[in-house]
Amino acid sequence: VDEVRIVKVGAERIDELEPLWKALQEHHRSVDPGLPAIPPRTADDSWPRRRAKYADWLQHPDAFVLFAEAAARPVGYALVSIHEPADDTHVTGERWAELQSLSVEPTSRGGGLGTRLMERVYEELRASRIEELAIGVIATNERAMHFYERQGFRPWVVTTLGKVPESTT
Ligand SMILES: CC(C)(COP(=O)(O)OP(=O)(O)OC[C@H]1O[C@@H](n2cnc3c(N)ncnc32)[C@H](O)[C@@H]1OP(=O)(O)O)[C@@H](O)C(=O)NCCC(=O)NCCS
């Protein structure tokens, strides 16, 4: 883990994230809440959609992606987007951040890379004078929730998802 460096990279490198996104999605599938009739997408279907979102989010000047890089190859990443204006129900700064993805490759998990990525996320946000960070977590991803709670984050909005009920008339 020691020779892994955390580096901020440009949007031109997002294609390199495909395997790590697929690893994250695989993990999400393993903790999938089993929504009635709403199955997760396959990894191949999901990646181009995710990639397009990354490209869009990274157009904001304060958005960023960090690689945990070993021998010029990402073994983990964190991607942060920026929301404007302030949240309307809580006292936040005019710009606030959202961690859109955090993923470490399966063989490197539990070795401190996720924590190092988050520490660098906080550093980048402090440098941009952004004080709030929202993190979406799948409700059944208990280990990830524990990871974020340990760093001081707490569940906020709970999003429910289901099919629109069919007409009964
Ligand atoms: C969550 C994740 C990014 C953390 O990175 P990491 O390098 O494994 O984390 P660290 O070594 O810095 O910290 C370890 C802590 O992470 C948490 N953790 C969450 N998922 C974990 C996993 N699959 N394996 C190991 N630790 C995990 C645990 O709280 C662990 O602490 P513990 O060993 O006391 O239980 C990484 O485990 C991962 O990619 N998991 C699968 C994808 C995922 O859930 N991403 C978050 C989506 S919101």
Side-chain angles (χ1 to χ4, degrees):
V1 167
D2 283 341
E3 69 269 20
V4 177
R5 294 188 322 133
I6 310 296
V7 287
K8 190 170 163 180
V9 301
E12 73 282 354
R13 291 192 65 187
I14 57 179
D15 285 327
E16 295 174 50
L17 295 177
E18 180 172 349
L20 288 168
W21 167 253
K22 288 181 172 176
L24 174 58
Q25 232 233 335
E26 178 61 38
H27 180 75
H28 281 162
R29 269 198 300 275
S30 77
V31 296
D32 189 70
L35 303 170
I38 311 180
R41 291 185 191 282
T42 64
D44 285 342
D45 181 15
S46 169
W47 170 244
R49 296 168 188 270
R50 190 66 178 185
R51 192 200 174 287
K53 286 191 172 185
Y54 285 168
D56 190 30
W57 285 322
L58 289 173
Q59 285 183 24
H60 190 289
D62 289 317
F64 58 89
V65 56
L66 303 174
F67 281 12
E69 202 171 52
R73 183 179 71 86
V75 295
Y77 74 107
L79 191 142
V80 173
S81 68
I82 305 299
H83 292 282
E84 296 178 77
D87 178 66
D88 52 8
T89 55
H90 288 79
V91 182
T92 68
E94 277 308 307
R95 292 169 308 150
W96 49 295
E98 182 166 0
L99 181 71
Q100 296 290 355
S101 298
L102 177 71
S103 174
V104 169
E105 68 178 6
T107 52
S108 302
R109 287 177 195 161
L113 284 184
T115 303
R116 283 178 62 195
L117 280 163
M118 290 306 293
E119 284 168 356
R120 181 65 183 275
V121 164
Y122 307 145
E123 217 175 279
E124 294 292 331
L125 292 175
R126 285 192 291 263
S128 299
R129 305 197 178 286
I130 292 174
E131 296 187 5
E132 291 83 23
L133 175 64
I135 307 173
V137 185
I138 292 183
T140 44
N141 194 358
E142 287 176 15
R143 292 193 74 178
M145 186 66 85
H146 181 68
F147 175 86
Y148 298 124
E149 287 195 338
R150 194 186 290 172
Q151 299 188 37
F153 295 86
R154 294 291 175 269
W156 172 37
V157 177
V158 177
T159 302
T160 62
L161 180 64
K163 288 283 188 191
V164 175
E166 286 183 13
S167 167
T168 51
T169 58

